[in-house]
Amino acid sequence: MKLITAVIKPFKLDDVREALSEVGAQGVTVTEVKGFGRQKGHTELYRGAEYVVDFLPKIKIEVGVPDELAERIIEAITRSANTGKVGDGKIFVYDLEGAIRIRTGESGPEAL
């Protein structure tokens, strides 16, 4: 099993959600986060004063998947989150040691 975590631009969430649904992702967790990468934030003007926005709003998507579905999930996120501009995000892939469905007690890939 794999845990796939993607950090994307907020306006791409609906596109990514639809792409994940099409390739068979059954459960997705979405969190609003802030961060920066190479773009290093930006400068804004507020009431005549300039200030630096260090952390930009992002969306973090987490999905646990069986090993055989991982590549399709990664491709779906990459394709649907891509704008071709700096700040499109990152995808991280972790080995998932276990999963347990609380309601039924099922464990392993069946719990996903």
Side-chain angles (χ1 to χ4, degrees):
M1 295 182 297
K2 302 288 185 203
L3 176 62
I4 299 172
T5 301
V7 180
I8 64 169
K9 291 182 175 185
F11 69 89
K12 294 303 272 179
L13 177 58
D14 285 338
D15 295 338
V16 172
R17 184 188 53 78
E18 287 176 22
L20 289 174
S21 187
E22 288 172 8
V23 295
Q26 299 221 338
V28 176
T29 300
V30 176
T31 311
E32 292 181 6
V33 296
K34 292 183 179 192
F36 70 89
R38 289 189 178 152
Q39 68 213 93
K40 305 262 195 303
H42 63 278
T43 304
E44 289 189 3
L45 198 60
Y46 179 73
R47 293 188 178 181
E50 195 174 272
Y51 68 100
V52 176
V53 178
D54 290 327
F55 296 100
L56 301 172
K58 299 287 182 179
I59 296 291
K60 181 166 81 168
I61 298 170
E62 296 173 297
V63 57
V65 298
D67 288 329
E68 59 272 9
L69 193 56
E71 280 305 314
R72 288 179 34 211
I73 295 288
I74 292 165
E75 289 169 11
I77 294 170
T78 302
R79 182 182 66 253
S80 58
N82 184 10
T83 67
K85 297 190 172 32
V86 172
D88 274 353
K90 294 267 191 303
I91 299 172
F92 303 98
V93 182
Y94 307 94
D95 286 325
L96 185 57
E97 191 171 313
I100 299 155
R101 179 171 290 141
I102 294 173
R103 179 178 54 87
T104 62
E106 291 172 287
S107 61
E110 295 81 30
L112 297 175

